Amino acid sequence: MGRSSLAAEAGVGAEEGALIQPGSSACPSTPPVPVSALAEGVPAHRLCSLGPAGAGDMGAVGVLGWLLLLQAVPQAAGAQPCSPKSFGRDSIVCVCNATYCDTLDPVVLPAPGTYVKYESSKAGKRLERSEGSFQRSLHAPGIEYNLIRLPMACSDFSVRPYSYDDVPHDYELKHFRLAEEDVKLKIPILHRASAMSRRTLSLYASPWTSPGWMKSNGDVRGKGTLKGQAGDKYHKTWANYFIKFLDEYAKHNVTFWAVTAQNEPLAAIFTPPQFPTIAFTAVQQRDFVVRDLGPALARSPHRTRLIILDDQRIHLPHWAKAVLGNATAARYVAGLGVHWYLDSIVPASCSLEATHKLFPDHFLLYTEACSGFLTLRFSVSLGCWERGESYSHSILTVLNHFVAGWTDWNLALDLQGGPNWVKNFVDSPVIVDSSKDVFYKQPMFYHLGHFSKFIPEGSRRVGLHSSRRCLICQLEHVAVLRPDGALVLVVLNRSGWDMPFWIQDPAVGFIETMAPANSIQTYLWRGK
């Protein structure tokens, strides 16, 4: 095969992305996800963390109990290898139970002039470490998620529909109460996760639905709009509902970095009839932000940022123009949330990049992604390598198109891909089999780890010049400079053949290396 070279140099402009379609696979896959671009030097605001779906559901005790077990598995003195198991897909899962789970050693920066490489592959490698040379220690096991998305009351991944105030016409929210799901499950798990994390966890909350008495359809379930119009008693009560939520969580020592104005405000177009949602157009969301939610957050004691859209990128840049084109709304809004589900319809350059160029002071954050949605078979596909590749392809694409971070949807699910009270079952990086006291870490988990473990918050993407000497050497990649001065290069090879290439850092030298077929690699070395 021919060679390609990747040269990581700070100050070099980022290359354009192109639309790439995933190849065929023996396992079910998500729709193809296109490529995107990010500004050189833009802070990598919140990189690759997972939000717990159903993390507040009482019926999800089986899954959530295993989340606690995942945290509580004893850590050995050194790295422990994957315990592989095949379910007949194209790759394997790693089995964990109460006494054993594969782990990583803490990340230790290599000596000057050397590098370390972490590799996962369809053939069975999982973050396998190796060292090499060109021609200070961190203390954290695991893959170091640092961003959590929390549903505000119920989502479809709850076991029941509910709100925090079901007393009709309670415009002063005197009957607002957190649910048992919050007090007995979500909050204790957040406290445990925060205590175990070396990095500060950034939480953001998203509402799916208001109480039924505020909605046009009169029900938490199903599709409706908020009654009335911006500035009236319904909209002001709904804005104050956000503040009450932040107030109540603060009483439990849980604070939120951000809230989104509405999960998928145009979800009624695509979702099941019972799906909990409030529909907003871009203009309606702008007016709600200007007259109600923005002022309510500004008056509150909370330093919580506001994210708009929280929906598919097919709505960009139109949504941004409609909301951020208003100077008052723009002052209240920090960024835009994007979901990945319809990425194949519109190129990243026409949506993400176009939005960044129009509104460079507002960040772009991927706020939801999952595999196995809208499939007739195999919502959960244990050991499917292609689903992991789809994650890495998306992350590489959007980091290269001005996106500051990427959030998976479900931290862990059961074997069916739930719980989900509207039966919207999907896949997850961690699947729990409570009947056997085990959980399975899927290829998606390790693909995420190739980013989250090595690219901390505050990292900055650097220019990467790619010199391809053959047309078929289409490696996908991103290079970042970490706050500690180390350089990270992530390389994805989704093809079925090995690809030799070389890496050159003018300050250090170069290495000749290989990206095996269907593999992802993370390179880490000290800059000068």
Side-chain angles (χ1 to χ4, degrees), residues 154-161 221 274 276 419-423:
C154 78
S155 73
D156 53 315
F157 278 91
S158 304
V159 295
R160 66 183 180 101
R221 299 166 295 182
Q274 294 296 303
N420 189 294
W421 63 271
V422 299
K423 303 188 184 305

Side-chain angles (χ1 to χ4, degrees), residues 6-12 111-114 133-135 462-463 481 485-487 502-511 525-528:
L6 307 178
E9 304 177 50
V12 178
T114 67
S133 300
F134 284 90
Q135 231 194 111
V462 297
L481 178 65
L487 286 158
W502 53 274
I503 304 167
Q504 181 177 10
D505 181 342
V508 181
F510 71 93
I511 58 172
W525 69 92
R526 292 179 185 267
K528 286 189 176 179

Side-chain angles (χ1 to χ4, degrees), residues 47 104 107 116-118 127 143-144 199 448-456 459 480 482 487-488 490 522-524:
L47 282 166
L104 290 173
V107 174
V116 293
K117 176 179 73 176
Y118 292 82
L127 287 165
I143 59 173
E144 300 185 61
R199 300 178 185 173
L448 285 167
H450 276 273
F451 300 89
S452 63
K453 180 72 175 178
F454 307 102
I455 306 178
S459 298
V480 301
R482 292 163 36 126
L487 286 158
V488 174
V490 183
T522 299
Y523 293 83
L524 173 70

Side-chain angles (χ1 to χ4, degrees), residues 30 235 285 294 482:
T30 56
H235 285 70
Q285 186 169 91
R482 292 163 36 126

